[in-house]
Amino acid sequence: MKVIIFGLGELGRKLVTETKRYITSVEIVCIVDNNVNDTYYEGIKVNSINALKDYEYDEVWVCTSYHKEIFKQLIDIGISKEIIFYMEPVVPVLEYRLREKMKENVKDIFPSDVLETEIEEIKDYLETHHLRMYCSALYDEYLYKESEIFWDDEKNLFYGIYKEKKIYLAKRFNTEEKARAYFNAVTMEQDKRSPHSYSNYEISNKKGRFVDIGAAEGIFGLEIIDMAEHLYMVEVDEQWIYALECTYEQYKDKVTIISALVGDGKANTKTIDELFANKEITYIKMDIEGMELQALKGAEKVINSSKLQLAVCTYHNKEDNTEISHWLNKRKYKITHSHGLVLCQGDWELEREDVGFRRALLFAKNC
């Protein structure tokens, strides 16, 4: 297949490099960028949009936060919208591997407890779409959503409105388009149709002490802040810590923001027991890029002493769902999962061959 990649920013360059390295069946015939042209990147000619007429190609991959504007540009010069696709780094490599596996045995790319309806939903989507983290119409709906984004002169940050509350974004989202793309992504995660929605699990304790580990922008906290007696937010990224301080400014009396990397106590990590062993914790949400099991192993006191509820991400590593479920079952926790499957698209997946769909969230309750 011959493709043109539109965008030579950080993400576009990454997409070019990965595609050349990992996908032998794709030829990048040229790169297009509105601000850079008449040069080469990775040995591929970089042109203006006007040069598209000089090439033969099957698809155009748009890799920029300005994708809506680029789509319009391309359609205006006569490119069929049927061959224009928004494309993120990593995903094309995973799609190539996944489709090869599907030729051999479809069920190899799904967890063992998968439902036939879940398989059919994803197969139907892939008949007419490229691979996405969520293979459903939900992804496309939020990709093009015109969410309102605002600028705060005093705090020097962009923000959106979620649950009638301001949610500030990290400084690296320094244009309205970048801010909107991120805001759409995290609000999509918490849509009740999403496998990644924490609100799909009933929080039976209406009051209590909540812990958000891997808080990032703090969207989970906004879901429960009005019912929480206290909310502890743990994050290691300084840009997110500043954004959290802005978002939760009016809740200073009931919110504590902790700068820490949570794990099993090794390699400069803090354990949950170190941070919270002397506190009666009601609920822990955890999304820490594949370190969830290590963090749980550093939480024996909290896990065993509390009538606790947990929401844990389980898709960053292939065996996370099985191993975390087993670890919690041994400690008498009742396990359920979110409905639906996700694709992990972390950079670490590029060096692995076990691409597939995974359970997004594990919910657990101490019985």
Side-chain angles (χ1 to χ4, degrees):
M1 179 169 67
K2 294 183 177 183
V3 305
I4 287 175
I5 292 180
F6 200 123
L8 198 58
E10 180 182 354
L11 294 179
R13 295 194 301 272
K14 190 170 187 294
L15 180 62
V16 170
T17 300
E18 293 169 359
T19 302
K20 284 192 64 179
R21 178 178 177 184
Y22 294 102
I23 312 179
T24 57
S25 62
V26 170
E27 177 190 354
I28 305 171
V29 296
C30 85
I31 301 165
V32 174
D33 192 275
N34 284 328
N35 300 309
V36 181
N37 65 74
D38 197 25
T39 186
Y40 286 84
Y41 181 76
E42 296 261 357
I44 302 168
K45 186 75 167 89
V46 182
N47 286 302
S48 71
I49 192 170
N50 295 325
L52 281 174
K53 63 182 182 300
D54 299 328
Y55 292 90
E56 292 183 2
Y57 50 91
D58 301 297
E59 294 182 355
V60 181
W61 293 356
V62 179
C63 187
T64 166
S65 56
Y66 296 88
H67 58 272
K68 288 190 287 293
E69 293 85 348
I70 301 304
F71 274 45
K72 184 178 185 306
Q73 264 191 290
L74 291 166
I75 292 168
D76 285 347
I77 66 167
I79 308 300
S80 169
K81 65 179 181 180
E82 304 300 324
I83 66 167
I84 307 170
F85 299 93
Y86 173 71
M87 197 66 69
E88 297 172 293
V90 182
V91 176
V93 179
L94 302 184
E95 178 173 0
Y96 169 74
R97 294 173 181 170
L98 183 142
R99 289 189 185 274
E100 288 299 307
K101 285 193 171 189
M102 287 179 74
K103 294 175 185 176
E104 301 169 9
N105 187 346
V106 169
K107 289 198 173 181
D108 280 350
I109 62 173
F110 292 101
S112 58
D113 63 344
V114 68
L115 301 174
E116 285 298 327
T117 53
E118 292 174 310
I119 294 178
E120 289 306 313
E121 180 182 350
I122 289 172
K123 284 175 62 179
D124 288 347
Y125 185 88
L126 291 175
E127 285 288 329
T128 53
H129 296 76
H130 278 291
L131 183 67
R132 304 298 186 192
M133 182 176 183
Y134 310 104
C135 285
S136 73
L138 178 70
Y139 180 93
D140 302 279
E141 176 187 328
Y142 275 85
L143 179 62
Y144 302 109
K145 192 171 184 178
E146 289 290 345
S147 299
E148 283 195 284
I149 297 296
F150 307 91
W151 174 254
D152 189 316
D153 282 323
E154 181 182 342
K155 295 178 171 57
N156 203 30
L157 294 178
F158 283 104
Y159 68 91
I161 303 295
Y162 184 72
K163 303 290 184 180
E164 300 181 346
K165 301 176 178 73
K166 292 181 180 180
I167 181 167
Y168 285 89
L169 305 180
K171 286 186 177 180
R172 57 182 165 270
F173 302 105
N174 56 6
T175 69
E176 185 176 334
E177 290 77 12
K178 289 179 182 178
R180 180 178 292 107
Y182 184 86
F183 181 80
N184 283 347
V186 294
T187 52
M188 173 177 63
E189 284 186 348
Q190 299 317 310
D191 188 300
K192 284 188 174 293
R193 295 168 290 171
S194 163
H196 204 299
S197 173
Y198 300 110
S199 62
N200 278 339
Y201 182 60
E202 180 185 355
I203 299 175
S204 59
N205 299 286
K206 300 302 181 184
K207 294 287 184 182
R209 293 175 177 267
F210 291 76
V211 175
D212 184 354
I213 300 175
E217 75 294 321
I219 196 167
F220 169 73
L222 292 182
E223 294 273 359
I224 54 85
I225 188 63
D226 294 326
M227 74 172 74
E229 292 176 5
H230 202 89
L231 170 62
Y232 299 93
M233 312 189 78
V234 186
E235 178 54 53
V236 71
D237 186 322
E238 290 299 322
Q239 285 195 14
W240 278 130
I241 289 173
Y242 173 63
L244 288 171
E245 290 170 348
C246 295
T247 297
Y248 288 89
E249 189 173 28
Q250 63 179 308
Y251 300 104
K252 285 181 180 179
D253 60 328
K254 62 188 303 186
V255 171
T256 301
I257 299 170
I258 301 169
S259 176
L261 180 65
V262 177
D264 56 8
K266 301 173 184 176
N268 298 316
T269 63
K270 294 283 188 180
T271 68
I272 291 173
D273 281 344
E274 284 181 81
L275 296 171
F276 304 110
N278 297 320
K279 297 178 174 65
E280 187 176 338
I281 301 301
T282 303
Y283 193 102
I284 296 176
K285 165 260 172 179
M286 195 183 305
D287 184 352
I288 46 176
E289 303 298 315
M291 293 180 63
E292 289 83 3
L293 183 57
Q294 294 96 309
L296 287 169
K297 289 179 177 178
E300 287 281 4
K301 292 178 182 177
V302 171
I303 290 290
N304 292 324
S305 66
S306 302
K307 290 294 183 183
L308 185 66
Q309 289 179 271
L310 299 164
V312 182
C313 284
T314 58
Y315 63 91
H316 296 107
N317 299 298
K318 184 179 180 181
E319 301 302 326
D320 275 354
N321 185 54
T322 300
E323 293 179 358
I324 293 171
S325 296
H326 179 69
W327 193 88
L328 287 168
N329 281 148
K330 286 175 65 177
R331 287 152 182 82
K332 310 302 181 186
Y333 274 75
K334 181 181 178 181
I335 306 294
T336 59
H337 296 91
S338 58
H339 175 76
L341 304 170
V342 302
L343 176 89
C344 182
Q345 58 189 73
D347 286 344
W348 56 88
E349 297 287 337
L350 291 170
E351 303 304 325
R352 299 177 180 177
E353 293 298 329
D354 58 356
V355 60
F357 294 95
R358 300 168 189 168
R359 295 288 175 206
L361 295 177
L362 172 155
F363 301 111
K365 187 174 182 179
N366 189 334
C367 302

